[in-house]
Structure formats: C-alpha cells, structure tokens
Amino acid sequence: MSISFANPIANGANIRSFARALVPLLAGAGAYLLFLSMGEILLRDSDTLWQIRIGQWIVEHGAMPYTDVHSFTRFGEPWMSSSWLSQVLFAVAYGSMDWAGPVVLTSLAIGVTVAIFIYLLEEYIDPARSILIVTLAVLMSATHFLARPHMLAFPAMVAFIGGLMAAADRRDQPSWLLLPVLALWANLHGGFVLGLALVGPIGLEAVWCCEPRRRVALAARWALFGLAAVAACCCTPYGWNTLLGAVKILSLGKLLTLIWEWMPANFGSISFFEVALLGLIGLAFFRGLVLSVPRILLLLGLIWMALSHVRNIEVFAFLAPLVLAKPFAEQLGTGQTAVVRELQSRSRVVMLAALAVAVAGWASTKTFAAHHPFSFFEAQTPVAAVDVLKQRQAQRIFSTAPFGGYLLSRDIKTFIDGRAELYGEQFVIDYFDAIEAKDVDLLLRLLETYRIDATLLNPTLPATKLLDHLPGWKRLYADDIAVIHVRDDRPGTTQSSVPESPR
C-alpha cells in the first residue's frame, strides 16, 4: 500500500480501506483471546475426555480403530471414528500443553471461524453490522462451544458453505478449491454430511437466478462439483465407509430425544436464539425482504434444523446470515463491493498483518497459559472414587455415560460412554431407564448380564438411592461427585426381596 503525502484525501481513503481489511483478522483475534481467557467453559463436557483418549490410542498404535476396544459391553464390535483427525489434534495438544492445549485449539477454531465469517460478509455488510451479527451468532452458539471435534470442524463448515453461497451469489460454479476444505471437514467431524447435502440446494439457487441461456451449463457444472464433493468426503482412512459412519447417529430414533444436544429447542425461557429468530421475522416483515424460492427453502431448512436439535443452533447462527447477506444488501443498499475489490489488491499487506497478529497471539498465549493452569470440570471427573475402584481392581463398572469419559482417560473399560452410535438405540434407552430406576428388573438384569462388580453413579440418581436398599449390594464410598456400590457377599444377602420401583 503506497501513501502519497500530496493527496491527504486519498491517504485517508487508503487508511480506511486498510482498516476495513483488518476487521476480520482483528475480530478473529479478539474472539480467540476472549475464549482463551475463560477457557474452563470449554472444558465442561465429558466427551472431551474420551475424544482425547481415542486420539491417544490412534497415535500410540499408528492405526485407525475399526472395532471397539474401550468398552466391555461392546468390545470387538465394529466402530469407526468419524472425528479421528480432531481426536489426534486434541491428543497431541493435551500431551504437549496439558489442558491448555485443547483450550488453545478450540479458542483458535472459534477465532478462525469468526474471521472467515466476517470476511464472507464484508462484500455485502459494513464492518459495524458484521461485528454485531457475529456477536449475536457467538452468543447463540456459546452453549455448544466445547473442546470437542465439532469445534475444530467449524471453520471448515463456514468456509465451505460460505464458498458455495458466494458462488451462488455470483451465479457461477463453486471453486474447486473448496473440495480440499470439504475433505478436511470429513476428517475432522462427521458433520460434513451437512455440507454435502447443501451442494444441491445452493446449486439450485445459482441456477434459479442465472440467465435462462446459462442454466443447463451451470446446472451441469454444479452437478459435476457435487460428484467431486462426494469423492472428497471419502478422502479419509475409512474411504467410502465414511459416508455410512457419519449418518449412523441419525438412525438412533427415540434416543435422540434423550440426549441434550439432540433435543428440540425450548422456548419456555428466553434465549438468544429465540430473540434472533423473532427479530429476523420482524425485520423481514418491516423491511419487506424478498427472497428467491431456493433461498427461502434454505432459510427454512436452517430454522427447522435449529428447532429440531439444539446442537444445530450454531449452524443456523453462522449460516443464515450468509444466506441473507446478498438480498439484504441489494434491497437495503448496504453493499460494499467497491470496497472489497480495493481491499483484494492489498492482500500482501493484510497477510503481513496476519503474521504479526499470529506471532503476538502465540506469545500472549504462552504467557497466559504459563500463569493460568486450566482444569477440567470437576463434576465430570470422579478422581477419588476411581482411585478407590483402582485399589479394589474393579473390572466391570456400571457407570453413567458422563463418567465413562473419565474412566477411559484412566484406562478402564467402560459400560457406556458418549459414543451412542456404538451402543445403539435400545442399549442406551435401557441404560437411561436403569439409572432413573424406571424399571428395577431391568437394572438388576443389566447388573447380572454384564457381571457388574461395582457401580459408579451420581449421588442424586434414583438408581443410586435404590442400590442403597438392594439386597446383595452395599455402599462402599461416597463424595459430592460419585457414589460406589459393590456386591455384598455376606451370607444371607440375596436379591429376592427387591423393593418396588418408585413411581
């Protein structure tokens, strides 16, 4: 970027355009530092523990898992890791930086997502509005911002689908450079099926709005890209089986209504998602926003996904603005095309600024991590209780699924953990009914069928209180996090007089 001292007006324009070019970079850096500074909120989900353990297993064995080796209830059964690359990255980060590693990785993924998101919007929306939109998107999504594979895949999701929307906005075919992004997504997380599924609808938008004489040729190019996208999704260690493994969780039926992140959105109390959705509806009516039929279907699909499963709220939060940006800008006159073209000619300066931010960010990260040790959510890590089980050499432990992640981290085979697609719909439903003491006979049957020698449950669970009164079982240990029951081998203890199931 050259500055002429003889032309102060041009100099002012240059400075303003350069500042705009830095907005995505600075916003991303700000988001990274924000989540790094409160990193413990990213370490509150027990799935993080078993994700890291799977990654460690892959690194230790130099191989991919094709069967389960981490549970005693499904040992040897077919299982593939649809998030193997994320798991390895988390394992390496944890091994080198302890809990600061997963926090840094996840915070970095959030920062990169924010930067990509604002970069995709800047052609249509001014920086102030972009910052407002991304802030609302982060607030809507924050409950699902966890140190888990879906977060490492988040930048790839926004980049790939944003690239598709950019092509549709130009009434053109998508760039072939998006295929490596999709392949990376497929190795990071099974959610890549969303990107594959949206190729068709977004391609329809491009064909629908282009000149009639170009429709057949453009449709053919999008169809060819779609075929190439299918092939890109299979560029993983599992090949074609990647597609089958990624959609397996969607066949869990009734079970999806029992897992928090798969539950439908609840408008019983006010939330950022509710405010955003109602605000969007109000804005559309107030400003008379007009969308093409394919774009309407895309938006309705994103809303339906978010209403059906709370884990999809962040998908709506970051993708709906990309769907609406162009028509919003055209109808309300907020376009920034001239500015963007000017900024693109200064990419070298922006890259140097990005390098400077990266160096400063890494230095501040090392300093912060050295003086701020991170720790995992205590309620998911029954350290003392597992120490007792280790001393007793307990081998077959009936535990809750959240404790399963910690047991795996201690190299103890689990009854159940967060891999619902491995255990299957009926097994997990039986588990829920057992720990809630809805069926005492079922609980006893599970304890006998799997030859359980100890239980590790939360103090408040109905099954914990029931075991206090079950003949043949006795309470061995209890603290605020977990309670252990073991078999009582004293003479005369039988399981014939089982108390009536609480109703």
Side-chain angles (χ1 to χ4, degrees), residues 108-277:
L108 183 61
I110 296 170
V112 172
T113 300
V114 167
I116 294 172
F117 180 73
I118 293 181
Y119 174 79
L120 291 168
L121 288 180
E122 69 180 357
E123 182 174 350
Y124 306 113
I125 300 176
D126 62 83
R129 287 192 178 100
S130 294
I131 295 295
L132 177 63
I133 292 171
V134 80
T135 300
L136 184 57
V138 168
L139 290 173
M140 276 192 282
S141 310
T143 56
H144 205 218
F145 280 0
L146 304 164
R148 283 172 43 189
H150 70 278
M151 289 309 304
L152 300 193
F154 215 50
M157 181 195 78
V158 173
F160 179 76
I161 298 178
L164 294 182
M165 283 306 309
D169 291 341
R170 297 191 309 268
R171 316 290 187 251
D172 201 356
Q173 69 183 61
S175 169
W176 294 102
L177 295 177
L178 293 176
L179 295 178
V181 177
L182 181 59
L184 175 64
W185 187 4
N187 285 276
L188 289 169
H189 188 254
F192 73 88
V193 293
L194 172 65
L196 191 60
L198 289 182
V199 172
I202 296 176
L204 179 61
E205 160 69 13
V207 173
W208 183 283
C209 297
C210 77
E211 300 87 350
R213 60 184 179 82
R214 295 182 57 231
R215 283 177 180 164
V216 174
L218 186 58
R221 289 196 289 270
W222 272 87
L224 182 61
F225 180 87
L227 293 175
V230 173
C233 291
C234 299
C235 293
T236 76
Y238 296 111
W240 292 100
N241 291 321
T242 303
L243 295 171
L244 300 177
V247 300
K248 190 175 181 181
I249 194 170
L250 299 178
S251 64
L252 292 176
K254 178 184 175 182
L255 175 57
L256 295 181
T257 63
L258 302 177
I259 302 174
W260 168 79
E261 62 185 0
W262 288 99
M263 291 180 179
N266 181 8
F267 284 0
S269 59
I270 198 72
S271 66
F272 287 110
F273 172 54
E274 182 179 358
V275 170
L277 185 56

Side-chain angles (χ1 to χ4, degrees), residues 441-478:
D441 290 335
L442 173 61
L443 173 59
L444 292 175
R445 188 164 62 250
L446 290 176
L447 296 176
E448 293 304 315
T449 299
Y450 293 102
R451 306 191 307 279
I452 302 300
D453 51 34
T455 67
L456 179 69
L457 303 173
N458 303 97
T460 58
L461 279 176
T464 305
K465 299 172 183 178
L466 179 63
L467 281 163
D468 284 334
H469 305 285
L470 276 180
W473 291 88
K474 65 179 180 181
R475 180 179 285 218
L476 176 69
Y477 173 87

